Amino acid sequence: MVEKEEKKGAKSDEETAALAAADLETLTISNAEEIIEDDDDDKDPDLFKPPPPREDCPICMLPLPFEYRTLAYRVCCGAVLCAACFEESKRVIEKTNVKKRKKKLPLLEFCCPFCREPMDESHEKAIIRLRKRIELNDVPKDQRKAFELFLRATELGSLHAPVIVAECFGEGRGVNMDAAKEKHYLKVAAKRGDMLGRYYLGKFEWHGGNKSLAMKHWQISAAAGHDGSLHRIKEGFMNGFVTKDEYAHALRAHQKVRNDAQSEERERYAAIHLSG
């Protein structure tokens, strides 16, 4: 009798644990649903405010680029640099070491260009091996866990996470497809100043038939320096959705932002890593 009671108790514990896990799994999703309750008004005044100024790269002191692949996050110090500065630092060290080898002098260590912490060579090799495994599609993926982490990052104020959460809702990656939540998180991204998020929000409105609102979003992101948005504004002008003055304003603002954020190092990085 005691043995039966113990088994019954163990089963009850398992059921309780399963229910707790289910509650934990749905917690983030329910939070997302709560956030979205007042997300029906396209006339939200905060949505069309000028975007906040971008942070500067702590090395070159130019505004950080929009594109994720042109950013470098340093685990050693938590700094976010433009990838061009990171690669330029490595290039200069390599060039210096070539001269030092010829003279048989001690070589310089590869280090973080911001905090000067030496880079772990074994870590770099591990990353290379991991990339190879990813290319071979040999790395297990937990899309649900990834979604929950990006959602948590959004709740903590991340600039870039909301657009990834929106993509998850739009494509059904790790969560059920939900167009309303996709739009909501695109709006969150746009309000935080993520021009890629605003560009996608414009596409969302365009495909939904709200072409004037789409152009309004693209005018903001084009003026902030986003290339794809400027192309959309150009097409809008050619098809009568924006005026000549609106297109000219977006073109001038876009060019100014691009000029202000350009450098020889960034041009070199783009030629090597972003061409093609």
Side-chain angles (χ1 to χ4, degrees), residues 89-154:
S89 174
K90 290 169 62 178
R91 188 187 71 84
V92 170
I93 292 174
E94 287 171 358
K95 186 177 179 180
T96 303
N97 281 343
V98 168
K99 297 178 181 179
K100 285 182 172 292
R101 285 190 187 95
K102 291 179 180 178
K103 297 179 180 180
K104 298 183 179 180
L105 296 174
L107 302 181
L108 297 178
E109 282 189 301
F110 289 102
C111 59
C112 171
F114 183 66
C115 71
R116 314 309 296 175
E117 181 74 16
M119 282 190 267
D120 186 354
E121 187 178 1
S122 61
H123 174 72
E124 299 295 317
K125 290 180 178 178
I127 293 296
I128 292 172
R129 288 196 297 271
L130 181 58
R131 283 176 177 165
K132 288 180 179 178
R133 297 266 61 85
I134 292 173
E135 289 171 3
L136 293 171
N137 199 26
D138 195 26
V139 177
K141 300 176 183 178
D142 187 340
Q143 292 188 333
R144 174 68 181 192
K145 183 64 176 177
F147 165 76
E148 291 175 354
L149 291 172
F150 281 120
L151 186 56
R152 179 59 178 153
T154 298

Side-chain angles (χ1 to χ4, degrees), residues 70-268:
T70 58
L71 299 173
Y73 174 75
R74 300 304 304 142
V75 178
C76 48
C77 56
V80 178
L81 321 174
C82 62
C85 284
F86 181 67
E87 291 298 324
E88 182 67 14
S89 174
K90 290 169 62 178
R91 188 187 71 84
V92 170
I93 292 174
E94 287 171 358
K95 186 177 179 180
T96 303
N97 281 343
V98 168
K99 297 178 181 179
K100 285 182 172 292
R101 285 190 187 95
K102 291 179 180 178
K103 297 179 180 180
K104 298 183 179 180
L105 296 174
L107 302 181
L108 297 178
E109 282 189 301
F110 289 102
C111 59
C112 171
F114 183 66
C115 71
R116 314 309 296 175
E117 181 74 16
M119 282 190 267
D120 186 354
E121 187 178 1
S122 61
H123 174 72
E124 299 295 317
K125 290 180 178 178
I127 293 296
I128 292 172
R129 288 196 297 271
L130 181 58
R131 283 176 177 165
K132 288 180 179 178
R133 297 266 61 85
I134 292 173
E135 289 171 3
L136 293 171
N137 199 26
D138 195 26
V139 177
K141 300 176 183 178
D142 187 340
Q143 292 188 333
R144 174 68 181 192
K145 183 64 176 177
F147 165 76
E148 291 175 354
L149 291 172
F150 281 120
L151 186 56
R152 179 59 178 153
T154 298
E155 293 168 355
L156 293 172
S158 168
L159 172 62
H160 300 300
V163 71
I164 300 175
V165 173
E167 288 176 353
C168 290
F169 277 119
E171 299 173 7
R173 286 191 278 117
V175 68
N176 292 331
M177 293 178 66
D178 191 316
K181 294 190 182 79
E182 178 188 7
K183 180 181 178 181
H184 168 74
Y185 283 100
L186 288 176
K187 291 175 77 171
V188 172
K191 288 180 182 180
R192 291 184 183 178
D194 185 348
M195 292 302 108
L196 183 61
R198 189 173 288 278
Y199 171 73
Y200 286 142
L201 183 56
K203 289 183 69 175
F204 189 100
E205 296 291 1
W206 180 271
H207 292 302
N210 200 340
K211 292 179 170 53
S212 61
L213 192 58
M215 287 295 162
K216 192 172 181 180
H217 285 300
W218 288 332
Q219 283 175 322
I220 294 173
S221 47
H226 188 265
D227 293 338
S229 298
L230 182 64
H231 180 70
R232 295 284 185 169
I233 292 296
K234 180 181 178 180
E235 290 180 338
F237 168 64
M238 295 171 65
N239 290 284
F241 291 109
V242 297
T243 66
K244 181 179 179 180
D245 288 343
E246 288 171 335
Y247 174 48
H249 171 75
L251 189 61
R252 287 193 299 268
H254 176 276
Q255 190 61 50
K256 183 180 185 306
V257 170
R258 282 297 183 180
N259 289 342
D260 290 346
Q262 196 54 272
S263 69
E264 181 181 340
E265 291 78 14
R266 291 186 179 184
E267 289 178 358
R268 185 184 297 114

